[in-house]
Amino acid sequence: MKKIFLFGATGSIGESSLNVIKENPDHFVLSGISFNKNSTRAKDIIGNFHPEHIFTTNEKSYSWLKKENNLSNTISISNNIEELSEFLNSDNVDIIISAISGFAGLETSILSVQTGKKVLLANKESIVAGGDILIPLSKKTGANIVPIDSEHNAILQCIDDYSAIHNITITASGGPFNGISDSDLENISPQDALKHPTWNMGAKISIDSATLVNKCLELIEASYLFNINESKINLVIHPQSIVHSIVTYSDGSSLCQMSNPDMKVPIAHALSDENRLNINFRELDFDNLSLSFSAFPKNRKIIEDLAREVCKIKNGSGIVFNAANEVAVDAFLNSKIKFLEIFDVILRTFDNVQLSKELDIEKIYEIDKASRIMAKKVVESTSN
Ligand code: NDP
Ligand code: MG
C-alpha cells in the first residue's frame, strides 16, 4: 500500500488524482493534502479520504480547519514548512503529487524533491522557473520526478532508447481559438478563452492553452525533464488531443502514446510501478477515429521563439517568462488587458529584467519578484 501526499488536492489535477486513488483502494491511500481557499471541496475530500495531515498557508482556511469539529484529534494540521517537511519525510508518505498551480507550487515542489521520494509533477511552472535547481536536486536526493503533464508523460512512456532519440514532437490541441485569426481574437472575453474544447482544467492553464503559451511552457519543461536540446523538440497542432506526444528514433520509428483526453491516464501511469493499474476509462473508438496534425501557427512564432531562447540562455530567463505570463493571465482574467496583449506583456517584461548566472532559491524568488513588478508596470501602461 503506497501512501500519497497530494498538493493542490482541491484543483482539477487534484480531482483526477483522487479518482485514480479511489479506483485503486488496494494500492493507494491518501495520507495528506494541501489546499488554498476552497474549504468546501477540502471538507468533502477530508470526509471521503480521511487524510492524516492537511497543509495550508491560507489564513482563513487554516483557522477554519482548526475550528472544524472532529478534525484536530485525528488529523494533524499545519501552516508551516517545518511541520509539513517532517510529515513528508516520515513513513506516512511514499509518493508526492505536486499539483498546485503556478509559481506558488515551487516551494512545495522543492520540498518534495528534497525528500528523495517519487514526485509526480503536474506543476510545470516550477520546472520552467526552477528547473536549474530542481533537476540537480533530484539527482542529489535520488527523487524520481515523474511528469503527469500529459505530453511529458506520453514522452516518458515512448522512450525505449534514450540515446537513439532523433527528436520529440509535442502535440497541442490549439485551444478554443484554433485556426482563428488574430484580428478576430481582438475582443475575446475571459469566459470565451476559458472554454477548452477537449480538456477540463483550472483557469490559469485554460488561458495558457488558448494563447498557446502552455505549449511554450511545455517546450521548456520537456527540455529540462528529458535533458534534450530545444532544437530537437517540435510543436504541432493536433486538435483531437488523442496523440499526446511522439518520440522519433534514429532508425525512423516514431512512437506515440494515445488516449482520450483524461488526466487520469497519465496520473495512473505515473503512479504505477512495473505493472499498469486498472482505471475506469473511455476507450478510443478506432472505427470512427480521425486524427489531424498541422504546423504550429505562424502568429505564435514570436512566443515560441522566446521559449526556445529561454531553453538556450537559461540564467533565470524561465522565471521571467513564467512570471510575466502569470501576471498577464491574471490581468486578462480581471479584464485589465485584452487577450492579445498577454503576448506584449511577456515580450516587454522579458527585455527588462536582469538575469543571473548564479541561481539559488533566493535568487529565483528575487528574479520572480522583479519580473512581476516589471510585468505589472507593463500591464498598467498597456491598460491606460
Ligand atoms: P486548479 O486551478 O484547478 O487547481 C490549483 C490547485 O492549487 C488548487 O488546489 C488550489 O487551491 C491550489 N493553489 C492555487 N494557488 C495556490 C497558492 N498560492 N498556494 C497554495 N495552493 C494554491 O489547477 P489545475 O489542477 O488545472 O493545475 C494544477 C497544475 O497542473 C498547474 O501547474 C497546471 O499547469 C498543471 N497541469 C494541469 C492540467 C489539467 O488538466 N488541469 C494538465 C497538465 C498540467 P484552492 O482551489 O483550494 O484555492
Ligand atoms: Mg500538457
Side-chain angles (χ1 to χ4, degrees):
M1 184 72 83
K2 292 270 162 47
K3 299 165 195 158
I4 298 180
F5 194 102
L6 175 56
F7 284 108
T10 46
S12 157
I13 291 289
E15 185 173 358
S16 299
S17 305
L18 291 170
N19 285 332
V20 176
I21 295 170
K22 195 165 65 190
E23 289 170 25
N24 285 275
D26 296 341
H27 292 93
F28 305 110
V29 61
L30 185 73
S31 66
I33 62 164
S34 91
F35 73 105
N36 192 36
K37 295 182 186 156
N38 193 346
S39 43
T40 310
R41 176 78 189 119
K43 190 173 181 175
D44 280 351
I45 298 169
I46 296 163
N48 289 326
F49 290 86
H50 312 289
E52 291 166 46
H53 191 92
I54 307 171
F55 173 74
T56 182
T57 51
N58 182 287
E59 273 179 38
K60 247 175 138 178
S61 301
Y62 183 69
S63 42
W64 167 76
L65 280 171
K66 284 282 185 190
K67 272 190 224 126
E68 188 74 355
N69 286 335
N70 315 321
L71 269 188
S72 25
N73 296 338
T74 49
I75 294 181
S76 58
I77 298 162
S78 71
N79 63 352
N80 65 78
I81 293 297
E82 290 71 30
E83 277 177 57
L84 171 66
S85 177
E86 197 179 313
F87 189 79
L88 290 178
N89 282 290
S90 74
D91 290 345
N92 293 312
V93 178
D94 299 306
I95 300 173
I96 302 169
I97 304 182
S98 171
I100 287 175
S101 64
F103 183 80
L106 177 65
E107 188 175 28
T108 49
S109 287
I110 294 173
L111 217 58
S112 305
V113 172
Q114 271 167 349
T115 64
K117 299 182 179 180
K118 181 168 176 176
V119 179
L120 271 57
L121 189 80
N123 179 234
K124 65 189 84 182
E125 295 89 345
S126 57
I127 276 284
V128 170
D132 286 322
I133 60 160
L134 275 175
I135 301 296
L137 184 63
S138 70
K139 301 226 162 83
K140 197 171 138 202
T141 63
N144 180 14
I145 301 180
V146 187
I148 50 178
D149 205 350
S150 56
E151 298 75 5
H152 305 74
N153 184 267
I155 294 165
L156 184 70
Q157 294 201 44
C158 294
I159 293 182
D160 65 5
D161 183 356
Y162 181 82
S163 62
I165 294 176
H166 175 69
N167 64 28
I168 286 175
T169 302
I170 297 179
T171 54
S173 70
F177 310 131
N178 189 23
I180 297 177
S181 72
D182 276 359
S183 53
D184 289 331
L185 290 179
E186 199 51 48
N187 292 311
I188 284 300
S189 71
Q191 287 66 35
D192 292 330
L194 285 169
K195 281 185 215 132
H196 198 279
T198 49
W199 295 99
N200 186 9
M201 309 179 287
K204 196 258 172 185
I205 185 174
S206 296
I207 302 301
D208 288 346
S209 298
T211 56
L212 297 185
V213 170
N214 183 45
K215 236 17 77 173
C216 299
L217 295 171
E218 290 183 354
L219 170 73
I220 304 168
E221 182 187 8
S223 78
Y224 274 115
L225 288 175
F226 301 106
N227 189 23
I228 192 156
N229 195 289
E230 59 73 33
S231 60
K232 287 187 161 192
I233 306 173
N234 307 316
L235 302 180
V236 71
I237 299 292
H238 166 51
Q240 297 82 18
S241 301
I242 300 281
V243 171
H244 300 298
S245 277
I246 303 149
V247 180
T248 298
Y249 289 95
S250 54
D251 64 356
S253 278
S254 291
L255 304 190
C256 74
Q257 182 263 348
M258 300 163 78
S259 73
N260 276 309
D262 178 354
M263 288 307 294
K264 274 168 53 190
V265 176
I267 293 168
H269 170 264
L271 278 175
S272 66
D273 288 324
E274 305 86 54
N275 302 319
R276 288 191 183 255
L277 297 172
N278 290 319
I279 60 165
N280 298 323
F281 69 99
R282 193 161 58 87
E283 271 185 59
L284 287 169
D285 176 8
F286 286 105
D287 286 353
N288 297 294
L289 195 59
S290 143
L291 303 176
S292 58
F293 300 87
S294 57
F296 203 68
K298 290 209 168 46
N299 58 359
R300 296 290 169 266
K301 180 113 180 58
I302 190 161
I303 209 75
E304 179 190 344
D305 284 348
L306 192 69
R308 292 190 183 279
E309 198 60 21
V310 166
C311 298
K312 281 186 246 172
I313 60 178
K314 297 196 168 166
N315 296 342
S317 53
I319 310 166
V320 186
F321 187 97
N322 178 66
N325 179 52
E326 287 191 17
V327 170
V329 169
D330 187 61
F332 170 67
L333 285 172
N334 288 297
S335 305
K336 287 188 188 153
I337 58 170
K338 291 183 173 181
F339 184 74
L340 293 172
E341 287 170 345
I342 292 174
F343 304 113
D344 299 340
V345 175
I346 300 172
L347 293 162
R348 285 173 57 198
T349 304
F350 199 82
D351 287 338
N352 286 294
V353 177
Q354 182 104 34
L355 302 178
S356 169
K357 283 201 165 70
E358 307 289 321
L359 279 184
D360 55 19
I361 298 177
E362 286 74 33
K363 198 76 200 169
I364 290 177
Y365 280 92
E366 208 178 285
I367 297 177
D368 176 73
K369 194 173 169 195
S371 308
R372 281 168 202 273
I373 292 171
M374 180 52 66
K376 281 178 189 158
K377 276 190 195 154
V378 179
V379 165
E380 271 160 38
S381 70
T382 308
S383 53
N384 285 332

